[in-house]
Amino acid sequence: MKLKKQHSSYIARKITKDLVNADFVEVRKEKSLITQVCEEILNDDIQKEIELDNAVDDLLEDQESEIEFYKADYRQLFWMTKKRM
């Protein structure tokens, strides 16, 4: 499932809650700092995913005539290309 930026703060809070409540994790920082770092990591990953999607779109647009000629499924080609990149 693809994450959206508006969900990153909620997910970061849930991760922080799980870390703080875990018996095997020693928390040495404030919860707010942990949440902030988690949210930054999630947002960075979401941004990288967006950039990868754009790169794959650009690559497939360049090959659009061949895709139409072979009547290939664009969505399947998108995921196959994304997986390889």
Side-chain angles (χ1 to χ4, degrees):
M1 184 174 95
K2 191 171 183 177
L3 295 178
K4 297 183 180 181
K5 284 191 177 187
Q6 61 261 31
H7 297 139
S8 64
S9 61
Y10 172 76
I11 295 170
R13 288 192 307 271
K14 293 293 281 181
I15 291 170
T16 302
K17 182 180 176 185
D18 288 346
L19 287 173
V20 169
N21 293 331
D23 295 333
F24 54 88
V25 176
E26 180 182 340
V27 178
R28 298 181 182 173
K29 301 286 182 179
E30 295 178 17
K31 284 175 63 173
S32 60
L33 182 61
I34 297 170
T35 302
Q36 180 183 2
V37 170
C38 288
E39 189 172 355
E40 288 173 8
I41 292 169
L42 288 169
N43 284 333
D44 288 344
D45 283 348
I46 291 169
Q47 187 60 40
K48 287 178 186 175
E49 184 83 17
I50 291 169
E51 290 171 5
L52 179 62
D53 286 350
N54 291 337
V56 171
D57 272 336
D58 291 343
L59 183 67
L60 291 179
E61 280 181 18
D62 293 340
Q63 304 297 323
E64 187 174 357
S65 61
E66 289 185 40
I67 292 171
E68 288 179 11
F69 179 76
Y70 290 112
K71 297 180 183 175
D73 182 19
Y74 184 85
R75 186 179 303 153
Q76 187 176 14
L77 283 173
F78 180 88
W79 290 113
M80 288 171 56
T81 306
K82 186 174 177 180
K83 187 175 179 180
R84 289 187 182 231
M85 290 182 82

